Amino acid sequence: MAGTAITTTADDNRIMVRIDMASVDSAACDELAAAVRSELALRARDVVIDCTRIKFLPSLAIGALVALRREVCEGSHELILAGLCDHIRKALLLSHLDKVFPMIDGSPSVVAPLPAA
């Protein structure tokens, strides 16, 4: 799906989501959820969100990610956050959300290919 700031690509193993904005607002949260749900409706897969361009992640967006994670995990898959900037990563660590979301450094391209389900 292509939108103004959120794009998705999918293969047999995962859904890759790219967010092209510095701050995630309410409209972007809705667009993100719709994009991921659309792909999940076709086939449940792990979801990797490319956060490399995000500089501010308000509590509204964190709540939306937690809700979206629940949906992804219903199918025994993961929602992975990739490329978080240092201050967002630290905020998630302080709130113990590192136990909820797998986080990887750098671009989502560093995620090793996953075996097909």
Side-chain angles (χ1 to χ4, degrees):
M1 171 180 177
T4 56
I6 296 177
T7 55
T8 61
T9 56
D11 60 24
D12 290 339
N13 301 316
R14 69 175 59 105
I15 301 163
M16 304 291 283
V17 181
R18 181 176 169 174
I19 302 175
D20 281 324
M21 57 179 49
S23 179
V24 180
D25 61 13
S26 175
C29 290
D30 293 343
E31 185 180 346
L32 171 64
V36 171
R37 286 182 187 125
S38 175
E39 291 291 342
L40 289 174
L42 299 173
R43 180 167 181 252
R45 293 164 274 194
D46 289 326
V47 176
V48 180
I49 300 180
D50 179 353
C51 301
T52 54
R53 288 164 186 77
I54 300 172
K55 302 301 177 212
F56 179 69
L57 195 64
S59 59
L60 171 76
I62 294 170
L65 287 172
V66 170
L68 192 56
R69 180 193 172 275
R70 279 191 216 111
E71 293 179 43
V72 171
C73 290
E74 284 177 4
S76 299
H77 293 280
E78 291 285 346
L79 189 145
I80 302 162
L81 303 178
L84 293 164
C85 66
D86 287 341
H87 67 275
I88 292 175
R89 178 183 283 275
K90 287 176 187 174
L92 294 175
L93 290 170
L94 287 171
S95 57
H96 303 287
L97 287 171
D98 59 316
K99 299 188 181 13
V100 174
F101 295 106
M103 293 183 254
I104 59 171
D105 293 328
S107 165
S109 63
V110 301
V111 178
L114 303 171

